[in-house]
Amino acid sequence: MKKQKVKKTAVHIVQKELLQPYNPVTINLIGAGGTGGQLLTALARMNHALTALGHAGIFVRVFDNDIVDTANLGRQLFTTAELGQYKAVALINRINRFFGTNWKAETMRYDKSSLNNMDLASAIITISCVDTVAARYEIAEILQQLTNHYSGRNRVKYWLDFGNSRSSGQVILSTLEKIRQPASEQYRPVEILPLVTDEYKDLLEASEDADETPSCSLAEALSKQDLFINSALANCGASLLWQMFREGILFNRGFFLNLADFRTQPLKVA
């Protein structure tokens, strides 16, 4: 009788320098609003835990040129004392004081017109928490250019994108180049995770007509985004990053989340 061939489970083995780095792993966090602010706190907790476990930890730069206004209070992590400050500065100052880190705030947009320093633009992991489709495409273009022209120590490897509507959202991990995979008898290692801007181009373009005008009040902001969608995405997305650092193997490279019916759908590595 002919033996049936068993289909191996697809996995992604994480770049080794994330697991046993000599220096802190660099992360560029783009966007310090609803999701970015929540995620920054999660990253600080992650860094504290990693260093306690003997890891070199992470180093984060936050890019955002927006300032805190009254509509941000309540839904985003800002106080009245921070009104008029740059969001990135307010958040980074708070994190550095609380956790004793030396992370940096960049009060600029992460776009081609602002970035002329490849050392600043490039990080091993780029995390985007942006509101517009155009911003995602521009980030993708910058990261691809860095992959082609930058070969420094912080050469970009991974892109983790966060996006949401009123009560749903997604977090998707991509690679910017082939990540060398070890041989495995048990699994089928996958060296490329497709870019969100390629894989979900139709979905992104379908959402392009969404209302992206700034909100003038908390009530108006809550009509566009649920109070807890950002924190729910940030915590689940941070769990994916934690799995990368601690386990070094991914069976899922993201997820789709719907808070309206409390449903999460994992995105399998394929």
Side-chain angles (χ1 to χ4, degrees):
M1 186 175 177
K2 192 175 180 180
K3 189 176 180 181
Q4 189 174 4
K5 192 175 181 180
V6 178
K7 188 176 180 181
K8 293 181 180 180
T9 302
V11 298
H12 176 74
I13 309 297
V14 176
Q15 180 87 10
K16 186 179 178 181
E17 65 184 288
L18 269 69
L19 308 179
Q20 298 173 324
Y22 294 109
N23 301 291
V25 176
T26 52
I27 296 178
N28 279 348
L29 174 59
I30 306 168
T35 303
Q38 297 277 353
L39 185 60
L40 183 63
T41 302
L43 290 174
R45 293 173 60 199
M46 191 182 306
N47 176 66
H48 186 81
L50 285 171
T51 54
L53 292 167
H55 190 278
I58 58 179
F59 172 80
V60 180
R61 286 185 296 248
V62 179
F63 291 81
D64 199 309
N65 70 335
D66 199 10
I67 61 172
V68 181
D69 61 32
T70 53
N72 303 139
L73 306 181
R75 195 178 67 82
Q76 298 182 20
L77 298 178
F78 301 106
T79 71
T80 53
E82 294 165 332
L83 288 171
Q85 292 186 31
Y86 282 105
K87 290 181 178 180
V89 171
L91 289 172
I92 282 292
N93 284 345
R94 193 188 313 157
I95 290 294
N96 284 344
R97 287 196 301 267
F98 192 93
F99 288 94
T101 49
N102 188 31
W103 294 356
K104 302 298 182 184
E106 303 294 342
T107 56
M108 64 175 75
R109 290 174 60 86
Y110 190 93
D111 60 19
K112 288 179 287 186
S113 63
S114 302
L115 289 167
N116 51 19
N117 182 342
M118 287 198 292
D119 287 319
L120 184 64
S122 189
I124 295 171
I125 301 173
T126 296
I127 303 176
S128 54
C129 303
V130 296
D131 295 330
T132 67
V133 176
R136 277 191 183 86
Y137 279 114
E138 186 156 16
I139 291 167
E141 189 175 342
I142 292 170
L143 295 180
Q144 287 172 312
Q145 287 177 355
L146 288 169
T147 303
N148 294 330
H149 302 293
Y150 181 76
S151 56
R153 181 171 63 85
N154 293 320
R155 181 178 171 85
V156 61
K157 302 291 184 185
Y158 293 98
W159 176 21
L160 187 63
D161 179 65
F162 288 69
N164 70 280
S165 57
R166 187 178 185 278
S167 60
S168 63
Q170 72 285 331
V171 176
I172 298 174
L173 180 70
S174 308
T175 56
L176 273 299
E177 61 183 10
K178 291 181 180 179
I179 305 297
R180 188 176 178 181
Q181 302 287 289
S184 174
E185 294 184 2
Q186 185 176 3
Y187 301 115
R188 178 173 60 84
V190 175
E191 60 186 7
I192 295 178
L193 306 177
L195 296 181
V196 61
T197 46
D198 293 336
E199 188 177 19
Y200 293 101
K201 183 177 180 181
D202 293 340
L203 180 66
L204 291 173
E205 290 176 351
S207 64
E208 202 164 14
D209 296 328
D211 181 12
E212 293 165 351
T213 55
S215 303
C216 297
S217 67
L218 176 59
E220 186 179 347
L222 290 175
S223 70
K224 298 177 182 178
Q225 294 190 28
D226 185 76
L227 183 60
F228 294 108
I229 183 63
N230 301 116
S231 55
L233 280 173
N235 281 315
C236 291
S239 293
L240 177 62
L241 270 177
W242 179 247
Q243 190 176 91
M244 289 176 67
F245 283 109
R246 291 297 297 149
E247 298 180 18
I249 182 171
L250 297 176
F251 295 88
N252 303 296
R253 64 182 190 92
F255 59 89
F256 293 88
L257 173 68
N258 190 323
L259 275 189
D261 57 10
F262 304 104
R263 180 164 43 90
T264 304
Q265 178 65 42
L267 178 62
K268 297 287 185 184
V269 173

